[in-house]
Amino acid sequence: MTERRRIDIVTARGPSSCPRCRREGLLLVRVPYGWTNAVGTAVDGRIGVVLCAGCDAQAPHPAPLFTWFHVNSNVERETSEEFVRLLVAWAENASVPPLDEGRLDEEISLWRSGSL
Ligand SMILES: [Zn+2]
């Protein structure tokens, strides 16, 4: 049995910037991810994924969302169902970058030294 991924739509005070190009993202969702750590224990968590008009313009899954934003600038009651359907379709296919262990070690060192 496949468990459905729970996806959170995050509303922040300010718009989130795209981690790839640093420009303003259209929206941010938090999607579940998981990996097995060095001792074989499953580690679960959530990661924020930003929808970016620049970086995601050529990707197939967010394309209907961009069209939706182009036609409807805000989510209204009569368009919310369609918006949620497109959002879920995109978020379910949003790729979560694999764990970069080198970068993790670097960040742990920075955290230990008080630089993070
Ligand atoms: Zn971007």
Side-chain angles (χ1 to χ4, degrees), residues 18-23 52-56:
C18 172
R20 293 159 287 179
C21 68
R22 304 286 168 202
R23 284 187 297 178
C52 173
C55 298
D56 295 319

Side-chain angles (χ1 to χ4, degrees), residues 68-76:
W68 190 92
F69 273 113
H70 189 71
V71 177
N72 315 272
S73 44
N74 290 302
V75 182
E76 304 289 348

